[in-house]
Amino acid sequence: MADSTFDIVSKVDKMEADNAVNQARKEIEQRYDFKGVGASVEWSGEKILLKASSEERVKAVLDVVQSKFIKRGISLKSLDAGEPYASGKEFRLEVGLKNGIDQEHAKKIGKLIRDEAPKTVKSQIQGDELRVSSKSRDDLQETIRLLKAADLDVDLQFVNFR
């Protein structure tokens, strides 16, 4: 019998992220506390650009964006928010989206699987994802439970369970 496998990935649904940004933009345009402070949210290439007249207002815009991402089912672990910086008369903040598992986190996950998962489970790094295999589907499900319970800095999804 062939091994059962699944892949561990970390991807953000671009359409859901776009919907969250649009909802945040609408809320910021409507809210009274953002009137007259030049607050805005927009895509700038692959990053989300937040603008406002003061550092506190930019952080408040970030809170609105984060709340919209949570409502759309996107983990905040997928957001990579920088520090606010001055640009002319306004403050800006760039928020990146993390896609893929970098080598450092992939090695941590692989070590966690080797140390704590059932012994029949094997993992291998394939680019920006991990392939986990075992003869027993129950062991694979146990591994998924283990990884969901672990406190990692990456938002994980489990796909291609065969």
Side-chain angles (χ1 to χ4, degrees), residues 8-18 43 45-48 69 74-80 95-103 105-106 126-130 153-157:
I8 304 172
V9 297
S10 178
K11 291 193 167 84
V12 176
D13 184 0
K14 184 79 168 149
M15 291 307 298
E16 288 295 330
D18 195 37
W43 283 102
E46 287 296 310
K47 294 185 180 279
I48 303 166
F69 269 78
I74 300 172
S75 172
L76 294 183
K77 292 178 182 177
S78 299
L79 295 179
D80 184 21
V95 179
L97 298 177
K98 295 180 191 173
N99 271 319
I101 303 172
D102 60 354
Q103 287 295 319
H105 286 102
Q126 295 182 336
D128 61 353
E129 59 185 48
L130 272 86
D153 296 337
V154 182
D155 180 37
L156 300 177
Q157 292 94 31

Short mmCIF file of all heavy atoms in Angstrom, two decimals, residues 8-18 43 45-48 69 74-80 95-103 105-106 126-130 153-157:
data_model
loop_
_atom_site.label_atom_id
_atom_site.label_comp_id
_atom_site.label_asym_id
_atom_site.label_seq_id
_atom_site.Cartn_x
_atom_site.Cartn_y
_atom_site.Cartn_z
N ILE A 8 1.88 20.86 3.87
CA ILE A 8 1.70 21.99 4.78
C ILE A 8 2.11 23.24 4.00
O ILE A 8 3.23 23.32 3.50
CB ILE A 8 2.58 21.86 6.03
CG1 ILE A 8 2.30 20.54 6.76
CG2 ILE A 8 2.38 23.04 6.96
CD1 ILE A 8 3.27 20.25 7.89
N VAL A 9 1.18 24.17 3.86
CA VAL A 9 1.45 25.41 3.11
C VAL A 9 1.04 26.60 3.96
O VAL A 9 0.34 26.47 4.97
CB VAL A 9 0.69 25.44 1.76
CG1 VAL A 9 1.15 24.32 0.86
CG2 VAL A 9 -0.80 25.37 1.97
N SER A 10 1.48 27.77 3.53
CA SER A 10 1.06 29.01 4.16
C SER A 10 0.76 30.00 3.04
O SER A 10 1.67 30.60 2.47
CB SER A 10 2.17 29.55 5.07
OG SER A 10 1.77 30.77 5.64
N LYS A 11 -0.52 30.12 2.72
CA LYS A 11 -0.93 30.98 1.62
C LYS A 11 -2.08 31.88 2.06
O LYS A 11 -2.91 31.49 2.85
CB LYS A 11 -1.36 30.14 0.42
CG LYS A 11 -0.22 29.40 -0.24
CD LYS A 11 -0.63 28.84 -1.58
CE LYS A 11 0.56 28.38 -2.37
NZ LYS A 11 1.04 27.08 -2.09
N VAL A 12 -2.11 33.07 1.49
CA VAL A 12 -3.20 34.01 1.75
C VAL A 12 -4.03 34.09 0.48
O VAL A 12 -3.49 34.29 -0.62
CB VAL A 12 -2.65 35.41 2.11
CG1 VAL A 12 -3.79 36.40 2.28
CG2 VAL A 12 -1.81 35.35 3.37
N ASP A 13 -5.34 33.93 0.61
CA ASP A 13 -6.24 34.05 -0.54
C ASP A 13 -6.27 35.52 -0.96
O ASP A 13 -6.73 36.39 -0.21
CB ASP A 13 -7.63 33.55 -0.15
CG ASP A 13 -8.60 33.56 -1.32
OD1 ASP A 13 -8.21 33.95 -2.43
OD2 ASP A 13 -9.76 33.17 -1.10
N LYS A 14 -5.76 35.80 -2.15
CA LYS A 14 -5.63 37.19 -2.64
C LYS A 14 -6.99 37.90 -2.71
O LYS A 14 -7.10 39.08 -2.38
CB LYS A 14 -4.95 37.16 -4.01
CG LYS A 14 -4.67 38.49 -4.61
CD LYS A 14 -3.44 39.12 -4.02
CE LYS A 14 -3.06 40.32 -4.87
NZ LYS A 14 -2.44 41.35 -4.13
N MET A 15 -8.03 37.17 -3.12
CA MET A 15 -9.36 37.79 -3.22
C MET A 15 -9.91 38.16 -1.84
O MET A 15 -10.50 39.22 -1.67
CB MET A 15 -10.34 36.86 -3.95
CG MET A 15 -10.05 36.69 -5.43
SD MET A 15 -9.89 38.23 -6.35
CE MET A 15 -11.49 38.94 -6.14
N GLU A 16 -9.72 37.28 -0.86
CA GLU A 16 -10.18 37.58 0.50
C GLU A 16 -9.42 38.78 1.06
O GLU A 16 -10.00 39.65 1.73
CB GLU A 16 -10.01 36.37 1.42
CG GLU A 16 -10.99 35.25 1.16
CD GLU A 16 -12.43 35.64 1.45
OE1 GLU A 16 -12.69 36.49 2.33
OE2 GLU A 16 -13.32 35.08 0.79
N ALA A 17 -8.11 38.84 0.80
CA ALA A 17 -7.31 39.98 1.26
C ALA A 17 -7.78 41.26 0.60
O ALA A 17 -7.90 42.31 1.25
CB ALA A 17 -5.83 39.74 0.97
N ASP A 18 -8.09 41.19 -0.69
CA ASP A 18 -8.58 42.36 -1.42
C ASP A 18 -9.93 42.82 -0.86
O ASP A 18 -10.17 44.02 -0.67
CB ASP A 18 -8.70 42.01 -2.90
CG ASP A 18 -8.85 43.24 -3.78
OD1 ASP A 18 -8.20 44.26 -3.47
OD2 ASP A 18 -9.60 43.18 -4.76
N TRP A 43 -3.75 49.26 -2.03
CA TRP A 43 -2.72 48.31 -2.46
C TRP A 43 -1.59 49.09 -3.11
O TRP A 43 -1.81 50.02 -3.87
CB TRP A 43 -3.28 47.32 -3.47
CG TRP A 43 -4.11 46.25 -2.84
CD1 TRP A 43 -5.47 46.18 -2.83
CD2 TRP A 43 -3.65 45.11 -2.14
NE1 TRP A 43 -5.88 45.07 -2.15
CE2 TRP A 43 -4.78 44.38 -1.72
CE3 TRP A 43 -2.39 44.61 -1.81
CZ2 TRP A 43 -4.69 43.20 -1.00
CZ3 TRP A 43 -2.29 43.44 -1.09
CH2 TRP A 43 -3.43 42.74 -0.70
N GLY A 45 1.39 47.58 -5.05
CA GLY A 45 2.07 46.37 -5.50
C GLY A 45 1.57 45.18 -4.71
O GLY A 45 0.39 44.89 -4.68
N GLU A 46 2.48 44.49 -4.03
CA GLU A 46 2.11 43.33 -3.21
C GLU A 46 1.88 43.71 -1.75
O GLU A 46 1.55 42.87 -0.95
CB GLU A 46 3.21 42.27 -3.28
CG GLU A 46 3.27 41.53 -4.60
CD GLU A 46 2.01 40.72 -4.88
OE1 GLU A 46 1.59 39.95 -4.00
OE2 GLU A 46 1.44 40.90 -5.97
N LYS A 47 2.06 44.98 -1.41
CA LYS A 47 1.90 45.44 -0.03
C LYS A 47 0.65 46.31 0.09
O LYS A 47 0.16 46.85 -0.88
CB LYS A 47 3.12 46.23 0.43
CG LYS A 47 4.39 45.41 0.52
CD LYS A 47 5.51 46.24 1.10
CE LYS A 47 6.78 45.45 1.21
NZ LYS A 47 6.86 44.60 2.36
N ILE A 48 0.18 46.45 1.33
CA ILE A 48 -0.94 47.33 1.62
C ILE A 48 -0.34 48.58 2.24
O ILE A 48 0.43 48.50 3.20
CB ILE A 48 -1.93 46.66 2.61
CG1 ILE A 48 -2.42 45.34 2.05
CG2 ILE A 48 -3.09 47.60 2.90
CD1 ILE A 48 -3.12 44.46 3.07
N PHE A 69 -9.42 41.72 8.35
CA PHE A 69 -8.77 40.45 7.98
C PHE A 69 -9.29 39.31 8.84
O PHE A 69 -9.54 38.21 8.34
CB PHE A 69 -7.25 40.57 8.11
CG PHE A 69 -6.58 41.02 6.84
CD1 PHE A 69 -6.60 42.34 6.45
CD2 PHE A 69 -5.95 40.10 6.02
CE1 PHE A 69 -6.00 42.76 5.28
CE2 PHE A 69 -5.34 40.50 4.84
CZ PHE A 69 -5.36 41.83 4.47
N ILE A 74 -8.75 35.45 7.66
CA ILE A 74 -7.31 35.44 7.38
C ILE A 74 -6.59 35.68 8.70
O ILE A 74 -6.86 36.67 9.39
CB ILE A 74 -6.93 36.52 6.35
CG1 ILE A 74 -7.67 36.28 5.04
CG2 ILE A 74 -5.43 36.53 6.11
CD1 ILE A 74 -7.52 37.38 4.03
N SER A 75 -5.66 34.80 9.04
CA SER A 75 -4.92 34.91 10.30
C SER A 75 -4.00 36.13 10.29
O SER A 75 -3.42 36.48 9.26
CB SER A 75 -4.09 33.65 10.51
OG SER A 75 -3.24 33.82 11.62
N LEU A 76 -3.87 36.77 11.45
CA LEU A 76 -2.97 37.92 11.56
C LEU A 76 -1.50 37.49 11.46
O LEU A 76 -0.63 38.33 11.24
CB LEU A 76 -3.21 38.68 12.87
CG LEU A 76 -4.57 39.37 12.98
CD1 LEU A 76 -4.67 40.14 14.29
CD2 LEU A 76 -4.83 40.29 11.81
N LYS A 77 -1.22 36.19 11.60
CA LYS A 77 0.14 35.70 11.41
C LYS A 77 0.58 35.87 9.96
O LYS A 77 1.77 35.85 9.67
CB LYS A 77 0.24 34.22 11.80
CG LYS A 77 0.06 33.96 13.27
CD LYS A 77 0.12 32.48 13.55
CE LYS A 77 -0.11 32.18 15.02
NZ LYS A 77 -0.11 30.74 15.28
N SER A 78 -0.38 36.04 9.06
CA SER A 78 -0.08 36.21 7.64
C SER A 78 0.29 37.66 7.31
O SER A 78 0.74 37.93 6.21
CB SER A 78 -1.27 35.81 6.78
OG SER A 78 -1.57 34.47 6.99
N LEU A 79 0.06 38.58 8.25
CA LEU A 79 0.38 39.99 8.01
C LEU A 79 1.76 40.31 8.55
O LEU A 79 2.14 39.87 9.62
CB LEU A 79 -0.65 40.90 8.70
CG LEU A 79 -2.07 40.83 8.19
CD1 LEU A 79 -2.96 41.79 8.99
CD2 LEU A 79 -2.14 41.18 6.72
N ASP A 80 2.50 41.10 7.81
CA ASP A 80 3.85 41.51 8.20
C ASP A 80 3.86 43.04 8.23
O ASP A 80 4.19 43.69 7.23
CB ASP A 80 4.87 40.97 7.20
CG ASP A 80 6.30 41.27 7.61
OD1 ASP A 80 6.52 41.52 8.81
OD2 ASP A 80 7.18 41.25 6.73
N VAL A 95 2.18 47.14 5.04
CA VAL A 95 1.83 45.83 5.56
C VAL A 95 1.99 44.82 4.42
O VAL A 95 1.34 44.95 3.39
CB VAL A 95 0.37 45.80 6.08
CG1 VAL A 95 0.01 44.43 6.59
CG2 VAL A 95 0.17 46.86 7.15
N GLY A 96 2.88 43.85 4.63
CA GLY A 96 3.09 42.81 3.62
C GLY A 96 2.30 41.57 3.98
O GLY A 96 1.90 41.36 5.13
N LEU A 97 2.05 40.74 2.98
CA LEU A 97 1.37 39.46 3.19
C LEU A 97 2.41 38.35 3.07
O LEU A 97 3.18 38.32 2.11
CB LEU A 97 0.27 39.25 2.15
CG LEU A 97 -0.86 40.26 2.16
CD1 LEU A 97 -1.84 39.97 1.02
CD2 LEU A 97 -1.59 40.23 3.47
N LYS A 98 2.43 37.46 4.05
CA LYS A 98 3.39 36.35 4.04
C LYS A 98 2.79 35.18 3.27
O LYS A 98 1.75 34.66 3.66
CB LYS A 98 3.71 35.90 5.47
CG LYS A 98 4.41 36.93 6.32
CD LYS A 98 4.66 36.34 7.70
CE LYS A 98 5.10 37.38 8.68
NZ LYS A 98 5.17 36.85 10.05
N ASN A 99 3.45 34.79 2.21
CA ASN A 99 3.05 33.61 1.44
C ASN A 99 4.21 32.64 1.42
O ASN A 99 5.34 33.02 1.15
CB ASN A 99 2.67 33.99 0.00
CG ASN A 99 1.22 34.34 -0.12
OD1 ASN A 99 0.36 33.70 0.47
ND2 ASN A 99 0.93 35.39 -0.88
N GLY A 100 3.93 31.39 1.69
CA GLY A 100 4.98 30.37 1.71
C GLY A 100 5.63 30.27 3.07
O GLY A 100 5.55 31.18 3.90
N ILE A 101 6.27 29.14 3.30
CA ILE A 101 6.98 28.89 4.55
C ILE A 101 8.46 29.06 4.27
O ILE A 101 9.00 28.36 3.41
CB ILE A 101 6.68 27.46 5.07
CG1 ILE A 101 5.17 27.27 5.24
CG2 ILE A 101 7.42 27.20 6.36
CD1 ILE A 101 4.76 25.85 5.55
N ASP A 102 9.11 29.99 4.96
CA ASP A 102 10.55 30.18 4.73
C ASP A 102 11.34 29.02 5.33
O ASP A 102 10.81 28.21 6.10
CB ASP A 102 11.03 31.53 5.26
CG ASP A 102 10.82 31.70 6.76
OD1 ASP A 102 10.21 30.82 7.38
OD2 ASP A 102 11.28 32.72 7.30
N GLN A 103 12.62 28.92 4.96
CA GLN A 103 13.45 27.78 5.36
C GLN A 103 13.54 27.63 6.87
O GLN A 103 13.48 26.52 7.40
CB GLN A 103 14.86 27.94 4.77
CG GLN A 103 14.93 27.68 3.28
CD GLN A 103 14.62 26.25 2.92
OE1 GLN A 103 15.04 25.32 3.59
NE2 GLN A 103 13.85 26.06 1.87
N HIS A 105 11.41 28.51 9.30
CA HIS A 105 10.18 27.95 9.88
C HIS A 105 9.96 26.51 9.41
O HIS A 105 9.47 25.67 10.17
CB HIS A 105 8.97 28.81 9.54
CG HIS A 105 8.93 30.08 10.32
ND1 HIS A 105 9.30 31.28 9.78
CD2 HIS A 105 8.58 30.34 11.60
CE1 HIS A 105 9.18 32.22 10.70
NE2 HIS A 105 8.75 31.68 11.82
N ALA A 106 10.33 26.21 8.16
CA ALA A 106 10.19 24.84 7.66
C ALA A 106 11.05 23.88 8.47
O ALA A 106 10.62 22.77 8.81
CB ALA A 106 10.57 24.79 6.18
N GLN A 126 9.84 21.04 0.48
CA GLN A 126 9.77 21.16 -0.98
C GLN A 126 9.50 22.62 -1.33
O GLN A 126 8.35 23.05 -1.40
CB GLN A 126 8.65 20.27 -1.54
CG GLN A 126 8.89 18.81 -1.33
CD GLN A 126 7.78 17.96 -1.93
OE1 GLN A 126 6.66 18.41 -2.10
NE2 GLN A 126 8.11 16.71 -2.24
N GLY A 127 10.56 23.39 -1.50
CA GLY A 127 10.41 24.80 -1.82
C GLY A 127 9.85 25.55 -0.63
O GLY A 127 10.47 25.59 0.43
N ASP A 128 8.66 26.14 -0.79
CA ASP A 128 8.07 26.91 0.30
C ASP A 128 6.92 26.15 0.97
O ASP A 128 6.02 26.75 1.54
CB ASP A 128 7.60 28.28 -0.19
CG ASP A 128 6.55 28.20 -1.28
OD1 ASP A 128 6.27 27.08 -1.75
OD2 ASP A 128 6.02 29.25 -1.65
N GLU A 129 6.95 24.81 0.88
CA GLU A 129 5.96 23.98 1.58
C GLU A 129 6.62 22.71 2.08
O GLU A 129 7.76 22.41 1.72
CB GLU A 129 4.77 23.68 0.67
CG GLU A 129 5.10 22.95 -0.60
CD GLU A 129 3.88 22.79 -1.49
OE1 GLU A 129 3.16 23.78 -1.72
OE2 GLU A 129 3.67 21.66 -1.96
N LEU A 130 5.90 21.97 2.91
CA LEU A 130 6.41 20.71 3.44
C LEU A 130 5.47 19.58 3.02
O LEU A 130 4.26 19.74 3.06
CB LEU A 130 6.44 20.74 4.98
CG LEU A 130 7.70 21.27 5.64
CD1 LEU A 130 7.62 22.77 5.75
CD2 LEU A 130 7.85 20.67 7.00
N ASP A 153 4.91 30.86 14.38
CA ASP A 153 4.76 32.23 13.88
C ASP A 153 4.20 32.26 12.46
O ASP A 153 4.19 33.31 11.83
CB ASP A 153 6.12 32.95 13.89
CG ASP A 153 6.66 33.11 15.30
OD1 ASP A 153 5.84 33.08 16.24
OD2 ASP A 153 7.88 33.28 15.45
N VAL A 154 3.77 31.11 11.95
CA VAL A 154 3.30 31.01 10.57
C VAL A 154 1.87 30.48 10.58
O VAL A 154 1.55 29.59 11.36
CB VAL A 154 4.21 30.05 9.76
CG1 VAL A 154 3.77 29.98 8.32
CG2 VAL A 154 5.66 30.48 9.85
N ASP A 155 1.03 31.03 9.71
CA ASP A 155 -0.33 30.51 9.54
C ASP A 155 -0.25 29.31 8.61
O ASP A 155 0.19 29.42 7.48
CB ASP A 155 -1.22 31.60 8.93
CG ASP A 155 -2.64 31.13 8.73
OD1 ASP A 155 -3.13 30.39 9.58
OD2 ASP A 155 -3.25 31.52 7.71
N LEU A 156 -0.65 28.13 9.11
CA LEU A 156 -0.51 26.90 8.34
C LEU A 156 -1.86 26.43 7.80
O LEU A 156 -2.87 26.53 8.48
CB LEU A 156 0.09 25.79 9.21
CG LEU A 156 1.47 26.04 9.81
CD1 LEU A 156 1.88 24.88 10.69
CD2 LEU A 156 2.49 26.27 8.72
N GLN A 157 -1.83 25.91 6.58
CA GLN A 157 -2.98 25.22 6.02
C GLN A 157 -2.49 23.83 5.59
O GLN A 157 -1.34 23.65 5.22
CB GLN A 157 -3.55 25.95 4.78
CG GLN A 157 -4.19 27.27 5.08
CD GLN A 157 -3.25 28.44 4.92
OE1 GLN A 157 -2.35 28.42 4.11
NE2 GLN A 157 -3.46 29.47 5.72
#
